[in-house]
């Protein structure tokens, strides 16, 4: 995109970014998480266990932390 908008070849852009501005390329990918049939079965079983534990102990839900299933990974720009 920079090459097209500035009318400079890509190699020159890379030299400017890496050598002159000391910038590095950081790669990031999002891979959708699809459960296998066996994993879906296990997830259902775990959910049933949690429901059962909550029905048997009124304080059970107060002892766990819930969330929106967002995963946060440590960001390390030194590795890809």
């Amino acid at each position: 995109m920079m090459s097209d908008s500035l009318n400079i070849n890509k190699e020159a852009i890379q030299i400017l970014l890496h050598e002159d501005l000391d910038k590095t390329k950081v790669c990031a990918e999002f891979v959708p998480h699809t459960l296998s049939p066996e994993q879906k079965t296990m997830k259902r079983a775990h959910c049933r266990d949690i429901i059962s534990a909550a029905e048997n102990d009124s304080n059970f839900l107060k002892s766990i932390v819930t969330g929106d299933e967002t995963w946060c990974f440590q960001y390390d720009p030194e590795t890809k």
Side-chain angles (χ1 to χ4, degrees):
M1 184 170 49
M2 292 173 70
S3 175
D4 293 338
S5 64
L6 298 172
N7 292 324
I8 301 174
N9 67 25
K10 291 180 182 180
E11 291 78 19
I13 298 280
Q14 286 182 330
I15 290 169
L16 287 169
L17 291 173
H18 294 288
E19 295 177 10
D20 297 336
L21 299 176
D22 198 31
K23 300 293 180 186
T24 58
K25 182 177 180 182
V26 177
C27 297
E29 290 184 26
F30 175 74
V31 178
H33 184 72
T34 306
L35 298 177
S36 68
E38 181 182 343
Q39 290 170 322
K40 288 179 185 178
T41 302
M42 290 301 296
K43 186 172 182 175
R44 279 190 219 101
H46 291 305
C47 290
R48 286 188 189 109
D49 291 343
I50 291 171
I51 291 169
S52 175
E55 289 172 344
N56 294 332
D57 181 4
S58 60
N59 291 321
F60 175 76
L61 292 179
K62 294 177 183 176
S63 67
I64 61 173
V65 177
T66 61
D68 64 353
E69 295 188 21
T70 300
W71 289 76
C72 299
F73 297 98
Q74 179 180 351
Y75 174 74
D76 184 4
E78 297 297 321
T79 60
K80 287 187 177 183

